[in-house]
Amino acid sequence: MTQRRTDSRIYDTKSQHRINEMIRISPVRVVSAEGEQLGVLSTSEAIFAARSAGLDLVEVAPDAKPPVCRIMDYGKFKYQQKKRQTKQQVNRTKIKQLRLRPKTGDHDVQVRLKQAREFLVHKDKVQIFVVFRGRELAHVEEGQKLMEFMIEQLSDVAKIETPPKRMENKRVMCTLAPR
């Protein structure tokens, strides 16, 4: 027993547009794929004209008298709408966090600098923490030097949003925002 496949574009219930057989009102004003007026036709004639062109009949103005339908490739239309919608969405800035210790090695600091630079280039904010443990609390100035070095190295792509705060909960913190 063979199953008959249905064209999913005909039964697109999530869309605000009625297409092909979903258009129940007759007559309709029809606009061709090139944008020229074809006039007022019955729905069946309009669907036939769309099918003969290898396209769909899409209701674009259902409130008009008579409703306006356009002959177009509905799949391409939906793709372009989705593309336009994603383009309009704003890049929401995220806050990325980097943790360092006063005794962090030079190479590891360079890796963290590279990561911070990538985050800032992608328009994300970066919070840098220098965390102190145990006897490291006696040498807070080492952490301050490390923080100043990080800020200096990232000054070309970042601006300081919150300057380094002294010893907040056994750590020094600074927030950098992209330029």
Side-chain angles (χ1 to χ4, degrees):
M1 186 174 195
T2 61
Q3 284 186 340
R4 211 168 81 189
R5 294 181 68 179
T6 57
D7 190 359
S8 63
R9 295 180 300 175
I10 295 172
Y11 305 106
D12 189 6
T13 56
K14 294 178 186 174
S15 173
Q16 65 270 16
H17 301 286
R18 291 189 199 115
I19 56 174
N20 298 334
E21 280 77 22
M22 289 176 67
I23 302 168
R24 299 283 182 210
I25 299 171
S26 188
V28 292
R29 183 172 305 279
V30 181
V31 179
S32 73
E34 290 80 35
E36 58 190 56
Q37 296 279 335
L38 297 181
V40 179
L41 303 172
S42 71
T43 307
S44 57
E45 289 174 357
I47 292 172
F48 179 76
R51 292 268 164 82
S52 63
L55 300 170
D56 300 307
L57 183 68
V58 181
E59 187 178 48
V60 290
D63 297 331
K65 298 286 185 220
V68 179
C69 295
R70 183 172 182 151
I71 296 174
M72 67 171 83
D73 183 357
Y74 187 65
K76 184 177 178 182
F77 173 70
K78 287 211 29 158
Y79 171 75
Q80 287 173 340
Q81 259 189 337
K82 189 174 182 182
K83 193 173 172 183
R84 231 179 281 125
Q85 185 180 14
T86 56
K87 198 174 195 179
Q88 289 175 350
Q89 288 179 350
V90 189
N91 181 17
R92 296 186 185 120
T93 58
K94 299 173 189 163
I95 298 178
K96 304 289 187 172
Q97 296 181 346
L98 296 176
R99 284 184 46 190
L100 296 166
R101 302 266 309 274
K103 298 279 187 177
T104 304
D106 293 336
H107 182 264
D108 294 331
V109 170
Q110 293 301 323
V111 169
R112 292 288 187 235
L113 276 170
K114 184 179 176 187
Q115 287 176 335
R117 189 173 299 279
E118 284 180 28
F119 295 148
L120 291 164
V121 166
H122 291 301
K123 305 293 184 211
D124 294 327
K125 293 182 181 179
V126 177
Q127 271 187 339
I128 302 173
F129 295 101
V130 179
V131 182
F132 299 93
R133 286 172 155 173
R135 290 186 183 180
E136 293 172 350
L137 286 167
H139 302 287
V140 179
E141 67 279 351
E142 291 293 321
Q144 287 289 340
K145 285 180 189 174
L146 181 59
M147 182 67 75
E148 288 170 13
F149 174 75
M150 294 285 286
I151 292 169
E152 179 186 318
Q153 292 295 313
L154 295 170
S155 63
D156 59 330
V157 291
K159 59 185 175 199
I160 299 174
E161 192 169 85
T162 56
K165 295 179 184 173
R166 292 206 177 262
M167 290 310 293
E168 179 183 303
N169 203 15
K170 292 187 180 181
R171 62 186 179 180
V172 177
M173 185 190 91
C174 173
T175 305
L176 301 174
R179 284 199 185 265

